[in-house]
Amino acid sequence: MKRSRDFLSGTLYLVATPIGNLSDISSRVKETLSSVDFIASEDTRTTEKILAYLGIHKPMIACHEHNEQEASNQIINLLKEHKNVALTSDAGYPAISDPGAILVRRCIEENVKVSVIPGPNAALNALAGSNIDTSHFYFHGFLNSNPSVRKKELADLKSYKMTLIFYESPHRIKKTLNDLYSIFGNRKITLARELTKMFEEYIYGTLEELASIDETSIKGEMVLVVEGNKEELVIDDNIILEEAKNLSNSYSLKDIAKILSDKYNLKKNYVYDLLLKKGDF
Ligand code: SAM
């Protein structure tokens, strides 16, 4: 176990930046970018635009997907010399479908402090406005660009009951919507595009409807929020009773009812009553 309060170093600040609207920069983001010694960034030109907007000048370090390992060495050396460093990505949170996770891992290995300065994130923005269940969700980020790997990924996700969130690019969106419909069947989906920008739009519909949408009407950056699996599996009571028997040495009747109702997407009371009437309890 390690506790960050015991680390003696400068701090790496992961600074979330706007996903399309410069007015979303908070005072804390501004204060942090003004106070650090260096700013590491996925694309120095993109970050320089934000810095110019804020009137800040700092030495920059490039830290992108092709050099994150080497850049991490340089950044960790600075942090160990008690310099403070901010890391930004092109948009939203570093380390979320963007470079940063390798650097964070290296920092913790080397007992270097990490702090996150909050701000916009495309997935959470889309989820909050999606009108799809927000109580439990799974963030997938980008699906694989290889069509057969993507289909396998979706087949593995088909049984998930929680809301699913995907990032997608406009040139692959049509294929992804088709794959989602053919693999998941019909479900609710919200396509959230151009969030925080002038042409922000939420499209609330079904996979069937979105699979046939006019592609030219959904340009820009987008997030897909897809309803989880709501199908009730038709499952033989004997299978449930057999599994319950295997669990009975380790769990209470109530816990077994919960485990199996979650597993098979059944009502907990139904499983509980079945076990009470026909199980060996
Ligand atoms: N780090 C970012 C975050 O915290 O949200 C995500 C970066 S990822 C490389 C870029 C993807 O995020 C885009 O392809 C799109 O799926 C989504 N995205 C970013 N900005 C968006 C916006 N303004 N509206 C909708 N989706 C956006």
Side-chain angles (χ1 to χ4, degrees):
M1 184 175 80
K2 291 182 179 188
R3 297 182 71 157
S4 60
R5 69 179 187 193
D6 300 328
F7 295 170
L8 300 171
S9 67
T11 300
L12 172 72
Y13 292 99
L14 299 188
V15 178
T17 53
I19 56 170
N21 192 325
L22 283 177
S23 303
D24 289 333
I25 297 175
S26 69
S27 332
R28 222 172 139 225
V29 164
K30 187 173 176 186
E31 279 161 27
T32 306
L33 293 175
S34 308
S35 70
V36 291
D37 301 292
F38 293 87
I39 298 179
S41 133
E42 180 182 13
D43 182 338
T44 50
R45 284 162 308 177
T46 308
T47 302
E48 262 158 9
K49 282 186 200 143
I50 294 177
L51 297 180
Y53 173 78
L54 298 172
I56 296 171
H57 302 279
K58 291 284 163 177
M60 308 276 300
I61 300 168
C63 179
H64 45 74
E65 62 172 324
H66 305 295
N67 81 339
E68 194 174 343
Q69 287 285 6
E70 307 87 79
S72 295
N73 294 335
Q74 184 191 355
I75 294 166
I76 284 175
N77 284 338
L78 291 166
L79 291 158
K80 285 187 164 176
E81 289 163 14
H82 296 272
K83 304 280 188 231
N84 292 318
V85 181
L87 174 71
T88 60
S89 66
D90 281 358
Y93 277 72
I96 304 298
S97 295
D98 265 339
I102 294 174
L103 177 56
V104 170
R105 192 176 62 234
R106 290 286 317 283
C107 283
I108 309 314
E109 279 167 8
E110 304 269 349
N111 298 345
V112 165
K113 284 184 218 160
V114 176
S115 180
V116 180
I117 307 298
N121 164 256
L124 288 180
N125 248 71
L127 175 69
S130 68
N131 193 33
I132 293 180
D133 182 15
T134 55
S135 56
H136 301 285
F137 60 89
Y138 162 85
F139 171 67
H140 192 83
F142 290 101
L143 288 157
N144 197 288
S145 56
N146 176 308
S148 52
V149 179
R150 189 170 63 228
K151 286 189 177 119
K152 165 84 175 62
E153 274 179 279
L154 289 174
D156 289 343
L157 298 175
K158 185 179 175 182
S159 62
Y160 284 33
K161 290 189 281 176
M162 60 286 230
T163 299
L164 306 156
I165 308 175
F166 301 96
Y167 285 161
E168 195 44 285
S169 69
H171 72 272
R172 255 201 318 259
I173 184 64
K174 198 67 186 168
K175 286 197 182 100
T176 297
L177 288 169
N178 284 331
D179 286 347
L180 278 165
Y181 181 42
S182 68
I183 294 167
F184 285 6
N186 210 11
R187 294 190 193 178
K188 273 165 63 175
I189 177 171
T190 296
L191 188 155
R193 62 182 201 97
E194 295 293 88
L195 294 168
T196 75
K197 304 185 199 176
M198 187 186 294
F199 297 108
E200 170 173 304
E201 184 187 25
Y202 285 88
I203 306 175
Y204 310 98
T206 62
L207 282 174
E208 184 181 18
E209 288 167 334
L210 270 282
S212 56
I213 196 168
D214 171 11
E215 205 174 339
T216 60
S217 73
I218 46 169
K219 294 204 178 313
E221 297 197 277
M222 56 192 76
V223 181
L224 304 177
V225 183
V226 183
E227 184 180 50
N229 190 333
K230 300 288 174 227
E231 284 170 19
E232 295 231 333
L233 287 180
V234 180
I235 172 107
D236 189 327
D237 285 353
N238 290 321
I239 293 178
I240 295 175
L241 291 167
E242 193 55 39
E243 287 202 33
K245 208 153 93 186
N246 296 334
L247 294 169
S248 61
N249 285 336
S250 321
Y251 296 96
S252 68
L253 172 62
K254 210 168 144 209
D255 287 343
I256 296 173
K258 165 102 178 78
I259 293 167
L260 296 178
S261 58
D262 281 350
K263 178 169 177 186
Y264 292 114
N265 213 4
L266 294 166
K267 297 237 156 49
K268 196 170 145 201
N269 282 349
Y270 172 80
V271 178
Y272 187 83
D273 289 346
L274 175 73
L275 299 184
L276 210 55
K277 280 184 200 141
K278 299 197 182 162
D280 301 324
F281 293 92

